[in-house]
Amino acid sequence: MNAKTTKIIYWTGIILTSLWFGASGFFELTTNKLVWEITQLLGYPAHFIYILGVMKISGVITLLIPNRLLRLKEWVFAGIFFDIIFAFFSKLAVLGFGATTDAIIAFVMVSVTYAMFRRLYSVTYILNPKDEK
């Protein structure tokens, strides 16, 4: 896969992820009735829903800044994966497997986006010379 294709897949994934989680965060912060009812049905308290909304909006802003804050973007991807995994298992436990479709789709979408992120921004971990002994 060439760099242009990787960038197209990456930015498409970032835009879709930003729309998905940005809308979710917005609905959590504006106390959208449907979102709040489902989230509370899953057992999450009101204060958690507000925190989740703030974190999602902050994460989306971070993801949309090109070529900057790469370490922070790693954390955003981790947070998104945690959100998806918790949503999947909460819905599975309370609502049944049929309600987990959105979490499965989100997991696949974000996994592909993260893989493209890693292709574009490779990381080399090196040992600090003063730590070698």
Side-chain angles (χ1 to χ4, degrees):
M1 180 179 317
N2 64 32
K4 183 178 180 180
T5 304
T6 302
K7 284 182 183 180
I8 290 169
I9 295 170
Y10 171 72
W11 280 106
T12 300
I14 288 297
I15 290 166
L16 292 174
T17 300
S18 296
L19 288 171
W20 190 314
F21 286 88
S24 175
F26 174 78
F27 292 142
E28 288 160 351
L29 291 175
T30 58
T31 62
N32 177 276
K33 186 177 180 183
L34 179 62
V35 170
W36 271 64
E37 284 177 0
I38 291 172
T39 308
Q40 289 181 319
L41 176 66
L42 296 175
Y44 295 102
H47 70 277
F48 180 78
I49 301 170
Y50 283 117
I51 294 168
L52 202 54
V54 169
M55 293 296 110
K56 285 179 181 179
I57 298 296
S58 301
V60 164
I61 291 168
T62 301
L63 288 178
L64 290 172
I65 299 171
N67 303 319
R68 300 279 184 264
L69 305 171
L70 301 180
R71 178 83 44 122
L72 186 56
K73 286 181 185 185
E74 288 278 352
W75 283 86
V76 171
F77 277 113
I80 289 172
F81 279 116
F82 286 129
D83 179 72
I84 294 168
I85 291 166
F86 290 139
F88 175 84
F89 284 107
S90 296
K91 289 179 177 183
L92 183 64
V94 177
L95 304 173
F97 185 76
T100 64
T101 306
D102 61 336
I104 294 169
I105 293 168
F107 184 81
V108 171
M109 177 183 69
V110 175
S111 294
V112 170
T113 304
Y114 181 71
M116 297 303 105
F117 174 75
R118 288 280 36 113
R119 279 180 174 249
L120 290 172
Y121 304 103
S122 62
V123 176
T124 304
Y125 295 101
I126 57 170
L127 186 61
N128 190 337
K130 63 183 174 185
D131 291 337
E132 289 182 4
K133 292 204 177 188

